[in-house]
Amino acid sequence: MKRATLVSTTSGYNLGLHKMGTWLDEHGWTVTYSCEAIDAPADLYAFSVIFSWDLPNLFRQVAWVKQLGDVAIGGPACTYNASLIESITGVKPHIGPDWRFEEQPGEYRLLRTTRGCPGGIAGPCYACPVPRMDGTRVRLLSYSLPITTNCGIVDDNI
């Protein structure tokens, strides 16, 4: 059985990694979540980088594990830092949502309701990464609301 270590470079809950983990589990992988990649030996190390200030942590961890297994990198910070990430790690990061995982059913602590934002009257907001990551067309996600408690909502348009 293949082993995957899913690493969030930001502390706290990471919706994208948990959706990926559910998808990998359904495809026969043993999944471990970690804040430090070196803590769990794996065939695949998948990193999610939410904020650009976490890039040094990403670079340090990828340097540790890239000889041990395959490396995948994604998350919002990749949108504006893809070239830098690839030049330092040697791994081309995924930009934008990975549709294999985006609508993965499961029990999650966050719920994303839409992707994309058309911006204001004059177009996309100056510093907002959403149109670049998710496009300017609002896409209502088709999966149903989870039956759970204490679930936060994530939405580009609220």
Side-chain angles (χ1 to χ4, degrees), residues 8-157:
S8 177
T9 59
T10 302
S11 63
Y13 187 76
N14 186 305
L15 179 60
L17 278 183
H18 281 83
K19 287 184 174 190
M20 180 184 196
T22 301
W23 186 88
L24 286 168
D25 183 61
E26 286 183 0
H27 286 83
W29 290 73
T30 299
V31 177
T32 301
Y33 297 92
S34 182
C35 291
E36 291 289 331
I38 199 68
D39 292 341
D43 301 296
L44 170 66
Y45 295 91
F47 294 87
S48 178
V49 192
I50 296 174
F51 302 109
S52 296
W53 57 74
D54 288 320
L55 289 174
N57 187 19
L58 169 75
F59 300 149
R60 176 181 55 81
Q61 292 195 56
V62 170
W64 285 345
V65 300
K66 68 182 186 177
Q67 304 305 320
L68 303 175
D70 293 332
V71 174
I73 301 171
C78 296
T79 299
Y80 288 101
N81 300 288
S83 296
L84 176 66
I85 292 168
E86 186 172 6
S87 69
I88 291 176
T89 66
V91 177
K92 184 175 181 158
H94 183 87
I95 297 174
D98 188 323
W99 296 104
R100 292 175 296 171
F101 317 132
E102 183 65 20
E103 295 186 14
Q104 177 64 41
E107 290 289 323
Y108 304 106
R109 290 177 25 204
L110 291 175
L111 169 70
R112 177 173 284 285
T113 55
T114 66
R115 284 277 187 188
C117 182
I121 294 171
C125 302
Y126 172 72
C128 182
V130 171
R132 187 168 173 187
M133 285 187 307
D134 299 336
T136 56
R137 182 173 95 12
V138 175
R139 181 175 186 272
L140 184 62
L141 299 177
S142 62
Y143 56 87
S144 60
L145 295 176
I147 300 171
T148 186
T149 57
N150 299 322
C151 181
I153 294 176
V154 179
D155 188 296
D156 294 337
N157 297 288

